[in-house]
Amino acid sequence: MKFADIGQQLRAYRMESGMRAEEIAARLGVSRAALYRYEKGEVIKLETIRRLAELLKVSPLSLLGIGIEYFARPAAFQERLRGLEEQADQVLLAGGAFCWQITGEALEGALAEAWTQAVPAGPDRTVAISLIEQALGALTARKRLYIQKRPSVIAVLSESAIVTFLNEGVAGGLTIPEASRSRAREAAAIECEAMAVIMETVPIGLQLGLATGIQPSAPFMVLRGRERAHVVTSPIPADAPPSAVAGVAGITAAEEAVSVHQRVAEAMWRDCRKGAEAAARLRQLVREARG
């Protein structure tokens, strides 16, 4: 057993459960400090894993990284994804409108504004803002990790998802003031312009393509490390509000799942637009969105 991996999964599942660390520790009969040590990778007994799984309402196999992990809370999912990316040397993304790790400051700023503006006034606002800060911290950590590790990234983006992204802006669907929505749209346009430059220049270890025609039925990711590979199905978008529960992401290291997703992603990459052709199409979509 790799206790560091178990610790990462434990932290993500704790966030997914919505229970406070103090509550879990008390019901487990340990101190909060002991629970945090488990999350940092300290040796943990199998009996403790069994009891934790019971408390968190997951299977012990999920905490051990065997089988399929499921996440519905965006903040918990982003935390788990950060842990997987920490071990990944190659990231393969299929579908979606952007690759979060390479996005710029404009998008991050517009996202923070949209999330904050969408929180209604009232007694729960302070808690909601705290969740937003936690979620933004996890997203920022993913970017820092990418800069430090520089894994190889291949992303086949969906044209239809990009059109929606440009028309609605980052954090689409939230009810926010029109001024904030305009900034969210402009941030999306700036991000697409930056992706067009990447498509033209093809920096070392970073390749972006544009899927046209038949679009990916659902986004997915393949993350490969030196010892293990994982597939993330139906990943919760990075711009999904931290309090929203609008889908379920699945994570598995099953060899057959990794193999079939890798094969599909490679076929999508082979058939997608790349280089100057993809950049020109992306800029055309930006012009159409801006009118």
Side-chain angles (χ1 to χ4, degrees):
M1 292 188 296
K2 293 195 172 179
F3 294 103
D5 293 350
I6 293 171
Q8 288 177 350
Q9 280 146 220
L10 172 57
R11 174 173 165 78
Y13 273 122
R14 173 172 64 77
M15 295 171 68
E16 174 72 12
S17 74
M19 297 170 66
R20 293 179 297 112
E22 294 86 347
E23 183 181 354
I24 292 174
R27 293 173 65 175
L28 194 63
V30 300
S31 67
R32 185 176 66 171
L35 181 63
Y36 285 148
R37 288 198 298 271
Y38 293 152
E39 291 183 358
K40 289 181 179 177
E42 187 173 278
V43 173
I44 181 171
K45 296 178 181 178
L46 281 173
E47 175 59 22
T48 305
I49 290 174
R50 185 193 65 77
R51 291 174 60 203
L52 277 166
E54 223 172 71
L55 282 172
L56 298 172
K57 294 182 171 52
V58 299
S59 76
L61 292 179
S62 292
L63 276 182
L64 291 170
I66 303 169
I68 303 177
E69 307 169 43
Y70 296 105
F71 292 94
R73 293 177 184 262
F77 171 71
Q78 295 299 333
E79 175 62 29
R80 180 66 181 115
L81 197 53
R82 183 198 61 76
L84 292 176
E85 288 171 348
E86 194 172 355
Q87 304 168 39
D89 299 312
Q90 182 190 71
V91 177
L92 190 55
L93 171 65
F98 56 85
C99 179
W100 173 256
Q101 297 96 312
I102 63 170
T103 54
E105 292 181 4
L107 195 74
E108 193 167 350
L111 178 60
E113 179 181 347
W115 281 357
T116 304
Q117 290 287 342
V119 178
D124 296 332
R125 182 174 171 81
T126 302
V127 174
I129 295 298
S130 176
L131 282 174
I132 287 171
E133 290 172 352
Q134 184 182 43
L136 289 171
L139 291 174
T140 301
R142 288 182 60 199
K143 282 189 181 181
R144 275 201 307 266
L145 191 61
Y146 170 74
I147 292 169
Q148 291 167 1
K149 282 184 60 77
R150 289 291 178 187
S152 167
V153 173
I154 299 175
V156 182
L157 304 174
S158 162
E159 182 173 310
S160 60
I162 288 173
V163 169
T164 301
F165 180 51
L166 287 166
N167 289 334
E168 297 185 9
V170 68
L174 291 181
T175 302
I176 57 177
E178 184 52 39
S180 295
R181 180 52 63 201
S182 294
R183 282 189 283 273
R185 292 190 191 99
E186 183 57 24
I190 290 170
E191 193 57 46
C192 287
E193 292 281 6
M195 290 193 294
V197 171
I198 291 171
M199 289 169 171
E200 287 175 328
T201 58
V202 194
I204 294 174
L206 178 56
Q207 299 180 76
L208 303 181
L210 187 61
T212 58
I214 297 175
Q215 300 294 296
S217 57
F220 65 86
M221 301 172 68
V222 179
L223 299 103
R224 284 192 173 278
R226 292 176 185 172
E227 299 178 4
R228 232 174 160 192
H230 290 81
V231 167
V232 182
T233 56
S234 300
I236 299 170
D239 61 347
S243 58
V245 178
V248 180
I251 300 172
T252 179
E255 190 175 329
E256 63 272 25
V258 172
S259 176
V260 70
H261 283 84
Q262 179 89 25
R263 189 165 64 248
V264 170
E266 287 173 354
M268 289 172 61
W269 175 256
R270 184 182 63 243
D271 298 336
C272 75
R273 288 178 172 172
K274 308 176 191 69
E277 181 190 7
R281 177 58 179 160
L282 194 50
R283 290 195 174 105
Q284 181 185 352
L285 295 177
V286 172
R287 287 194 300 271
E288 289 172 357
R290 282 174 164 166

